[in-house]
Amino acid sequence: MEIVLIIISILLIALGLLQSGKAESTSNIISGGNDNLFANRKERGGELFLTRLTASLGALFFVICVIMSL
């Protein structure tokens, strides 16, 4: 089980790094240029797949941690 947990955690880190940030330009937020900060953007294609895969792996990680603690 520990090996599976390590693999899932490595995949979660990699997927987190692959995803684009919701606030693409942090300097715009700090400087006050928030024109598109609350824009209604939908994820499509590969972005949507990465988001769903990350959520699924996160849930699986949580379930495995709970099972291992019992």
Side-chain angles (χ1 to χ4, degrees):
M1 268 312 209
E2 291 89 10
I3 302 290
V4 174
L5 197 62
I6 291 172
I7 291 171
I8 290 175
S9 61
I10 290 171
L11 286 173
L12 277 171
I13 292 169
L15 286 173
L17 292 173
L18 284 174
Q19 290 181 3
S20 64
K22 301 297 180 196
E24 293 168 351
S25 175
T26 310
S27 63
N28 282 344
I29 294 172
I30 294 171
S31 65
N34 58 359
D35 297 335
N36 294 326
L37 180 61
F38 298 107
N40 195 6
R41 293 184 0 184
K42 288 190 166 212
E43 295 177 338
R44 294 193 172 119
E47 235 179 80
L48 181 61
F49 175 73
L50 284 178
T51 302
R52 288 183 179 169
L53 184 61
T54 304
S56 301
L57 284 176
L60 185 62
F61 182 84
F62 178 73
V63 168
I64 289 175
C65 285
V66 169
I67 290 172
M68 285 179 59
S69 69
L70 295 178

